[in-house]
């Protein structure tokens, strides 16, 4: 599929992107490289200084090159505060407050406030961040109306939730289908024309509330499906079934697509967004239960370790703390909980990751992490862990036990090297 002809695209607008993070920065570069004039806005002055020098600190394949291309073309400029533009795209984080499990909309509020002084008639404010339903109408609209302008009469608010997969962001921004939600059909059409500059997937239009809900449903579907897989894993462990084989076989059914179990769900989206639905609907019991099942998986992993590792185990090594494979992002990672619980129980914990450099994990070289250890727990299935030589690990470790929470390693090879191997969701594994 190729982009629609230029006549259906909007090519001469100035676009302002507020929030140059995982989504805002790639969008800014892509739009600029499609020939549009883009202002990238961020409150972090240090980040802006680095970006002006072409330095990109977000580790996303291909991002650095397209940002540098956009800067060189001079179509991407940076600013500490919003300027006048026709489109204002808000792409700021929406974390949650863990104690109360409510959305923290402070960044959305602050970004919206910052647009007020430059908002003018005919402008369109586009929200890309993931938010609880009615945020556009109830939170952003009253803030923007402080400008003296009226929503949908003088300016419009449109929700266009981001859908790209971290690690494959540049491809997915372009190729994924998109939802554009807004209450002013003319504004929705203009946003569609703007997004047609880079989206080759289908574009569907709807109301802003529906778009907000759709985004949350997508991530909640994934979370609930993973919770089901995690529950299946625990059932399988009790009856001598290999859940990984069982899920593969169940997925041969044309209408079944069960996700994969693991040590829990991490990241800034799937572990958080379901709470935004629960927040507006206290009756959402399934969503809450799924969240709890996934949040409890680190406890389950530690239970497996206590059952499987020998009683005199002192040192446990965690392989991988990123929230998912082959990325350096450790936000909301289940590894953090596994490490904390093990430490509380008095184990010495060593940590290795090929990508994560965050100091709080105190990661070390692999050889240092393995030296004198009694047991390994593979938490993140980075590709590179497949290449670890179990014979070398055997030489370095004091005792030779490994728990694979992702069914990722070549278990036969590890057993041949003299390891006892346990796989999450497979109680047959420790008999092999
Ligand atoms: N996970 C499992 N089992 C699985 C799949 C994932 O345990 O079968 C775990 C991962 O290990 C990870 C967590 O779930 O810890 C979430 O990772 P992910 O790779 O499923 O998703 P994210 O958080 O990186 O990105 C999601 C995507 N949403 C969907 O696939 C519905 C992405 O498209 C969204 O743009 C992104 O959230 C977002 O920003 O909302």
């Amino acid at each position: 599929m190729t982009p629609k002809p230029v006549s259906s695209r909007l090519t001469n607008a100035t676009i302002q992107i507020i929030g140059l993070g995982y989504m805002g920065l790639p969008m800014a570069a892509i739009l600029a490289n499609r020939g549009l004039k883009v202002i990238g806005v961020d409150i972090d002055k240090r980040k802006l200084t680095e970006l002006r020098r072409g330095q990109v600190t977000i580790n996303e394949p291909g991002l650095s090159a397209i940002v540098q291309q956009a800067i060189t073309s001079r179509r991407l400029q940076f600013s500490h505060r919003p300027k006048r533009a026709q489109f204002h795209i808000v792409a700021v984080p929406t974390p949650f407050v863990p104690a109360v499990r409510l959305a923290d909309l402070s960044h959305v509020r602050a970004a919206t406030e910052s647009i007020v002084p430059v908002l003018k008639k005919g402008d369109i404010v586009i929200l890309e961040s993931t938010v609880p339903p009615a945020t556009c109408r109830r939170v952003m609209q009253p803030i923007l109306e402080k400008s003296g302008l009226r929503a949908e009469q003088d300016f419009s608010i449109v929700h266009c939730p981001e859908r790209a997969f971290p690690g494959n962001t540049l491809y997915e921004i372009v190729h994924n289908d998109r939802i554009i939600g807004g209450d002013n059909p003319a504004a929705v059409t203009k946003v569609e024309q703007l997004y047609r500059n880079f989206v080759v997937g289908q574009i569907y239009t709807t109301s802003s509330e529906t778009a907000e809900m759709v985004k949350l449903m997508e991530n909640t579907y994934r979370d609930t499906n993973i919770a089901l897989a995690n529950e299946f894993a625990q059932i399988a462990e009790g009856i001598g079934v290999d859940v990984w084989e069982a899920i593969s076989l169940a997925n041969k059914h044309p209408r079944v697509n069960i996700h994969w179990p693991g040590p829990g769900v991490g990241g800034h989206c799937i572990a958080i967004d379901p709470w935004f639905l629960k927040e507006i609907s206290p009756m959402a019991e399934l969503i809450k239960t799924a969240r709890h099942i996934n949040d409890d998986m680190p406890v389950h992993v530690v239970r497996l370790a206590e059952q499987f590792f020998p009683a005199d185990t002192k040192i446990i090594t965690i392989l991988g703390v990123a929230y998912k494979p082959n990325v350096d992002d450790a936000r909301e990672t289940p590894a953090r909980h596994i490490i904390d619980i093990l430490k509380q129980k008095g184990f010495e914990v060593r940590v290795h990751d090929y990508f994560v450099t965050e100091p709080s994990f105190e990661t070390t070289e692999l050889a240092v992490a393995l030296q004198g250890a009694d047991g390994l727990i593979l938490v993140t299935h980075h590709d590179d862990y497949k290449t670890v030589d179990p014979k070398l690990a055997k030489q370095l470790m004091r005792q030779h036990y490994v728990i694979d929470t992702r069914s990722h390693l070549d278990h036969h090879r590890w057993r041949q090297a003299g390891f006892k191997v346990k796989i999450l969701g497979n109680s047959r594994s420790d008999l092999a």
Side-chain angles (χ1 to χ4, degrees):
M1 200 183 293
T2 46
K4 277 187 187 172
V6 173
S7 58
S8 66
R9 291 191 259 147
L10 212 154
T11 51
N12 56 358
T14 299
I15 297 110
Q16 171 146 265
I17 302 197
I18 300 156
L20 298 175
Y22 290 83
M23 205 48 57
L25 185 59
M27 287 237 341
I30 288 173
L31 279 164
N33 292 338
R34 291 285 195 277
L36 287 128
K37 196 172 162 225
V38 181
I39 307 162
V41 181
D42 204 287
I43 51 169
D44 183 344
K45 285 187 174 164
R46 212 175 93 188
K47 183 190 273 184
L48 293 180
T49 308
E50 287 169 355
L51 283 172
R52 285 190 182 103
R53 288 196 206 116
Q55 292 168 356
V56 175
T57 48
I58 296 171
N59 192 1
E60 182 67 40
L63 179 60
S64 190
I66 64 163
V67 170
Q68 278 162 19
Q69 185 191 342
I71 294 168
T72 308
S73 75
R74 306 181 73 86
R75 284 190 296 268
L76 174 57
Q77 310 270 323
F78 298 106
S79 170
H80 180 47
R81 49 176 93 79
K83 296 185 173 174
R84 285 163 81 87
Q86 283 130 291
F87 295 92
H88 310 265
I89 301 180
V90 175
V92 293
T94 44
F96 79 139
V97 190
V100 283
R101 292 183 174 132
L102 296 175
D104 171 1
L105 293 178
S106 56
H107 302 291
V108 171
R109 283 202 181 85
T112 311
E113 292 276 0
S114 74
I115 298 169
V116 173
V118 295
L119 192 71
K120 56 185 181 355
K121 254 187 161 195
D123 282 4
I124 300 177
V125 178
I126 303 170
L127 178 67
E128 281 256 346
S129 313
T130 306
V131 290
T135 298
C136 289
R137 197 189 304 277
R138 296 207 193 125
V139 178
M140 295 179 77
Q141 182 176 326
I143 294 173
L144 292 167
E145 286 185 340
K146 288 188 206 167
S147 62
L149 300 172
R150 298 282 303 279
E152 307 319 336
Q153 221 170 284
D154 303 318
F155 69 92
S156 296
I157 308 173
V158 171
H159 185 39
C160 191
E162 60 92 356
R163 280 179 149 179
F165 202 58
N168 196 27
T169 297
L170 299 192
Y171 179 87
E172 294 210 352
I173 284 182
V174 173
H175 291 88
N176 286 359
D177 292 351
R178 297 299 297 259
I179 312 293
I180 298 179
D183 302 326
N184 178 337
V188 168
T189 301
K190 274 193 185 157
V191 174
E192 183 178 357
Q193 289 173 338
L194 175 66
Y195 277 56
R196 269 290 157 220
N197 283 289
F198 60 96
V199 172
V200 300
Q202 296 289 334
I203 294 180
Y204 300 94
T205 59
T206 183
S207 69
S208 63
E209 266 93 354
T210 306
E212 289 165 330
M213 175 94 179
V214 166
K215 168 67 197 203
L216 296 177
M217 284 164 60
E218 292 164 5
N219 281 354
T220 302
Y221 159 78
R222 199 154 165 82
D223 193 50
T224 312
N225 196 329
I226 296 167
L228 185 63
N230 282 329
E231 190 152 284
F232 286 155
Q234 293 176 64
I235 294 170
E237 281 168 8
I239 56 170
V241 167
D242 172 359
V243 80
W244 305 88
E245 181 195 5
I247 290 176
S248 306
L249 293 175
N251 285 350
K252 302 284 180 212
H253 187 290
R255 286 175 295 283
V256 174
N257 174 27
I258 304 167
H259 290 8
W260 297 105
V265 168
H268 49 295
C269 310
I270 294 192
I272 293 172
D273 298 350
W275 290 118
F276 295 1
L277 280 177
K278 175 72 186 151
E279 157 178 349
I280 55 155
S281 175
M283 65 179 190
E285 284 304 315
L286 177 61
I287 294 173
K288 186 177 87 178
T289 303
R291 275 284 68 244
H292 287 318
I293 290 172
N294 290 336
D295 275 353
D296 284 346
M297 287 311 287
V299 177
H300 181 67
V301 171
V302 172
R303 205 181 300 131
L304 289 181
E306 287 185 307
Q307 288 163 1
F308 184 60
F309 293 162
D312 63 344
T313 294
K314 289 188 181 65
I315 303 175
I316 296 176
T317 299
I318 302 295
L319 298 180
V321 290
Y323 86 90
K324 67 180 195 174
N326 310 320
V327 300
D328 67 350
D329 192 337
R331 284 176 293 174
E332 313 293 330
T333 175
R336 173 94 62 196
H337 303 292
I338 295 171
I339 293 166
D340 287 349
I341 304 168
L342 289 172
K343 283 185 177 166
Q344 276 160 21
K345 287 180 177 283
F347 295 104
E348 180 182 334
V349 182
R350 307 253 181 85
V351 178
H352 175 265
D353 194 288
Y354 289 104
F355 302 91
V356 176
T357 51
E358 165 155 0
S360 65
F361 286 108
E362 300 180 60
T363 55
T364 64
E365 293 290 315
L366 186 57
V368 178
L370 296 179
Q371 186 69 50
D374 299 292
L376 303 177
I377 304 178
L378 182 128
V379 173
T380 311
H381 41 321
H382 293 311
D383 290 344
D384 287 344
Y385 283 128
K386 280 192 190 280
T387 65
V388 173
D389 181 0
K391 287 191 195 132
L392 194 68
K394 174 119 193 292
Q395 282 168 21
L396 292 168
M397 290 171 67
R398 188 173 82 94
Q399 304 194 74
H400 308 107
Y401 292 81
V402 56
I403 296 177
D404 186 349
T405 69
R406 306 279 192 170
S407 195
H408 180 63
L409 300 171
D410 180 342
H411 305 124
H412 179 65
R413 225 172 122 226
W414 282 76
R415 286 194 182 104
Q416 271 194 330
F419 276 83
K420 293 226 175 310
V421 179
K422 183 166 190 71
I423 307 160
L424 182 141
N426 180 2
S427 58
R428 276 188 291 166
S429 60
D430 34 327
L431 305 174

